[in-house]
Amino acid sequence: MHKEDEQGKCGEEVKVALVHAAIHWKDKKKNLAKLLTLNEMAAGAGARIILNTELATAGYAFESRDDIAPLMETIPGPTTRAFGRIAKKYECYICIGLPEVAPGTGIFYNAAALIGPKGRVLGRHRKVAPAFRENLWAARGNLPILVAQTEFGKLGVMICADAYSYKPARVAALEGARLLLVPANWPPDHQNPEKFWRARAAENGIYVLACNRTGKDKSMDCRSAESFIIDTGGGAVRQFSSMDDSIVYGTLPLENGKFISSAAEDILGRRRPHCYADISLDTFSHFNPSFLLGLPEPADFTVATLQFRPVSREPSANTEKMLKLIDEAAAMAAAEGFTLNLIILPELSATGIIFERREAAKWCEEIPGPATKAFTRKAEEKKIFIVLGMAERHAGKFYNSCVLIGPNGVEGKYRKIHLSTYDQKWAEAGEGAAPAFDLPFGRVGMLAGCDLMFPESADALAKLGTDLLCVPALWGDCESKFIWEARLGEQMHLAVANQWGDFGKFHALGGSLICSYSRYPEKRLKLESPAEGDKVNIMRLSGKEARDKRFVENIDYEVLLQYMRSLP
């Protein structure tokens, strides 16, 4: 048995443990004996919160109700009583995944139980998104997302592939959870879960413990699977893999004996729920979503991102340079045998970053205006569509806006609704939901920069049938940039055009990105620009692939569409 212990502990904190164990398929007796020993070791070492894997008592790969039936039990039941004795003896919290049968109906669920220091079950979670072959035996979860009060504050529980969607974690955070426990059975070759778990932490400003497993299951090799302790910014404090049974220890900081809540309060307080109403639409359960949504016929199309470093306060020179880069992109596409259909330029690309309202008053333009007219001429010349990030003036107010321009002029615009700290010094937040626009090859939507930290905006566009999410960006935080790719969870092609270079006190990271979406991870493609330098990326995308969407709908939208409801 391999044991890891975190060094450098200081201040007020709570010790946690992940039981990263080899689970024996269909051998409940052996699994229970091992897990009870490991959990007692962790509790005896001072861990106050102990997390076990998904389906820890049973193993994972079952192909029918009959196959898993001998391993089912109720919650509470024999397993929770056995772990409850450890929890009571050491006054700790234990979470464990197991297959649950509902008394009275005989319905089976992939479940997790949370046991408290008095040895009793504090709550249970039923997996809302059964994955792989679980659908052959398990029903979708029918309970509210588990949020339980502990002596350290509230914590939430979800299971493994529940993390594909932002919704369960967001519900838990809005209900006051500041720690999320994730029992998992997720081998890394089945769409590596790291970016999803890190995204759930960063989007909500909460800590995440994700306990994976090791060993071989009936049809899965989990010996390289990783467990994580993730901080409130989405950083991996611990990232652990072992072929042996292991206990992974770590600590979480506390303030006045409670989970620290400041990061959650900040990001949750910046949400704009009145702009997210479309997330509640169940459009893709319709037998023909394309007909219901009036989507254009899907087609293959060519998209480009134009990474660009504008010169501050030189909008005419910047516009001229971008027009030349558009020529270059069109020529590159033609050299590859394609016609360029759409190009995305960075956020505030004509002016560069704006630091104060006085600058905005000088450089903001009306839409339509001189800049949009120049790009309209180029769109007409090249027969393309252009997404442009720009500083907008309207009715005495200033906005950080995105505009869609085609050969016939301005097709539409979007005003950024989640403002960065720099935006807040000069811009008003937009008040409307992000709109979607039909182009000859598909439906597109626009967001700007740090909107990507708020998954509801992307999800709302996906529910409207958006094929491609276009994101002009001015992104300077390297630690959160991973969130871009996590937005593929909202099931659209993604194109992010970022600025690059130093602008006084702000450094833009470059790294512009095009990611194709497919429900099959092995079919997804990615093109990424370097951190520095003007750069054109070009990719051919399939409109048909982006139409294959599935959403987690067994969720409480009344919670998701309210502002932060409670504090821990």
PDB file of all heavy atoms in Angstrom, residues 328-339:
ATOM      1  N   GLU A 328      -4.498  37.712 -45.996  1.00  0.00           N
ATOM      2  CA  GLU A 328      -3.560  36.596 -45.819  1.00  0.00           C
ATOM      3  C   GLU A 328      -4.300  35.309 -45.464  1.00  0.00           C
ATOM      4  O   GLU A 328      -3.988  34.229 -45.997  1.00  0.00           O
ATOM      5  CB  GLU A 328      -2.567  36.951 -44.719  1.00  0.00           C
ATOM      6  CG  GLU A 328      -1.537  35.872 -44.410  1.00  0.00           C
ATOM      7  CD  GLU A 328      -0.625  36.253 -43.259  1.00  0.00           C
ATOM      8  OE1 GLU A 328      -0.297  37.454 -43.138  1.00  0.00           O
ATOM      9  OE2 GLU A 328      -0.239  35.354 -42.488  1.00  0.00           O
ATOM     10  N   ALA A 329      -5.294  35.408 -44.570  1.00  0.00           N
ATOM     11  CA  ALA A 329      -6.054  34.225 -44.169  1.00  0.00           C
ATOM     12  C   ALA A 329      -6.822  33.644 -45.348  1.00  0.00           C
ATOM     13  O   ALA A 329      -6.872  32.420 -45.540  1.00  0.00           O
ATOM     14  CB  ALA A 329      -7.010  34.593 -43.033  1.00  0.00           C
ATOM     15  N   ALA A 330      -7.438  34.509 -46.155  1.00  0.00           N
ATOM     16  CA  ALA A 330      -8.186  34.030 -47.313  1.00  0.00           C
ATOM     17  C   ALA A 330      -7.258  33.325 -48.303  1.00  0.00           C
ATOM     18  O   ALA A 330      -7.615  32.292 -48.884  1.00  0.00           O
ATOM     19  CB  ALA A 330      -8.904  35.196 -47.980  1.00  0.00           C
ATOM     20  N   ALA A 331      -6.056  33.875 -48.470  1.00  0.00           N
ATOM     21  CA  ALA A 331      -5.097  33.251 -49.375  1.00  0.00           C
ATOM     22  C   ALA A 331      -4.629  31.903 -48.839  1.00  0.00           C
ATOM     23  O   ALA A 331      -4.448  30.945 -49.608  1.00  0.00           O
ATOM     24  CB  ALA A 331      -3.907  34.192 -49.584  1.00  0.00           C
ATOM     25  N   MET A 332      -4.413  31.817 -47.526  1.00  0.00           N
ATOM     26  CA  MET A 332      -4.004  30.546 -46.919  1.00  0.00           C
ATOM     27  C   MET A 332      -5.070  29.478 -47.116  1.00  0.00           C
ATOM     28  O   MET A 332      -4.774  28.325 -47.439  1.00  0.00           O
ATOM     29  CB  MET A 332      -3.730  30.751 -45.420  1.00  0.00           C
ATOM     30  CG  MET A 332      -2.477  31.541 -45.105  1.00  0.00           C
ATOM     31  SD  MET A 332      -2.337  31.932 -43.338  1.00  0.00           S
ATOM     32  CE  MET A 332      -2.310  30.283 -42.613  1.00  0.00           C
ATOM     33  N   ALA A 333      -6.337  29.854 -46.907  1.00  0.00           N
ATOM     34  CA  ALA A 333      -7.426  28.889 -47.094  1.00  0.00           C
ATOM     35  C   ALA A 333      -7.486  28.437 -48.554  1.00  0.00           C
ATOM     36  O   ALA A 333      -7.649  27.244 -48.844  1.00  0.00           O
ATOM     37  CB  ALA A 333      -8.750  29.511 -46.663  1.00  0.00           C
ATOM     38  N   ALA A 334      -7.347  29.385 -49.479  1.00  0.00           N
ATOM     39  CA  ALA A 334      -7.396  29.037 -50.898  1.00  0.00           C
ATOM     40  C   ALA A 334      -6.262  28.094 -51.273  1.00  0.00           C
ATOM     41  O   ALA A 334      -6.440  27.174 -52.083  1.00  0.00           O
ATOM     42  CB  ALA A 334      -7.340  30.313 -51.743  1.00  0.00           C
ATOM     43  N   ALA A 335      -5.089  28.307 -50.664  1.00  0.00           N
ATOM     44  CA  ALA A 335      -3.953  27.431 -50.946  1.00  0.00           C
ATOM     45  C   ALA A 335      -4.206  26.000 -50.493  1.00  0.00           C
ATOM     46  O   ALA A 335      -3.622  25.058 -51.032  1.00  0.00           O
ATOM     47  CB  ALA A 335      -2.697  27.987 -50.273  1.00  0.00           C
ATOM     48  N   GLU A 336      -5.072  25.840 -49.490  1.00  0.00           N
ATOM     49  CA  GLU A 336      -5.432  24.504 -49.014  1.00  0.00           C
ATOM     50  C   GLU A 336      -6.653  23.952 -49.742  1.00  0.00           C
ATOM     51  O   GLU A 336      -7.143  22.870 -49.412  1.00  0.00           O
ATOM     52  CB  GLU A 336      -5.699  24.554 -47.511  1.00  0.00           C
ATOM     53  CG  GLU A 336      -4.463  24.908 -46.690  1.00  0.00           C
ATOM     54  CD  GLU A 336      -4.761  24.958 -45.188  1.00  0.00           C
ATOM     55  OE1 GLU A 336      -5.782  24.372 -44.763  1.00  0.00           O
ATOM     56  OE2 GLU A 336      -3.973  25.573 -44.455  1.00  0.00           O
ATOM     57  N   GLY A 337      -7.172  24.706 -50.708  1.00  0.00           N
ATOM     58  CA  GLY A 337      -8.302  24.240 -51.503  1.00  0.00           C
ATOM     59  C   GLY A 337      -9.656  24.561 -50.923  1.00  0.00           C
ATOM     60  O   GLY A 337     -10.665  23.981 -51.345  1.00  0.00           O
ATOM     61  N   PHE A 338      -9.727  25.506 -49.968  1.00  0.00           N
ATOM     62  CA  PHE A 338     -10.984  25.850 -49.331  1.00  0.00           C
ATOM     63  C   PHE A 338     -11.297  27.331 -49.518  1.00  0.00           C
ATOM     64  O   PHE A 338     -10.398  28.162 -49.692  1.00  0.00           O
ATOM     65  CB  PHE A 338     -10.933  25.550 -47.833  1.00  0.00           C
ATOM     66  CG  PHE A 338     -10.646  24.115 -47.503  1.00  0.00           C
ATOM     67  CD1 PHE A 338      -9.526  23.773 -46.761  1.00  0.00           C
ATOM     68  CD2 PHE A 338     -11.497  23.110 -47.935  1.00  0.00           C
ATOM     69  CE1 PHE A 338      -9.261  22.456 -46.444  1.00  0.00           C
ATOM     70  CE2 PHE A 338     -11.241  21.786 -47.626  1.00  0.00           C
ATOM     71  CZ  PHE A 338     -10.113  21.446 -46.879  1.00  0.00           C
ATOM     72  N   THR A 339     -12.570  27.652 -49.438  1.00  0.00           N
ATOM     73  CA  THR A 339     -13.011  29.037 -49.392  1.00  0.00           C
ATOM     74  C   THR A 339     -13.222  29.419 -47.933  1.00  0.00           C
ATOM     75  O   THR A 339     -13.926  28.723 -47.189  1.00  0.00           O
ATOM     76  CB  THR A 339     -14.327  29.223 -50.160  1.00  0.00           C
ATOM     77  OG1 THR A 339     -14.112  28.891 -51.535  1.00  0.00           O
ATOM     78  CG2 THR A 339     -14.825  30.662 -50.055  1.00  0.00           C
TER      79      THR A 339
END
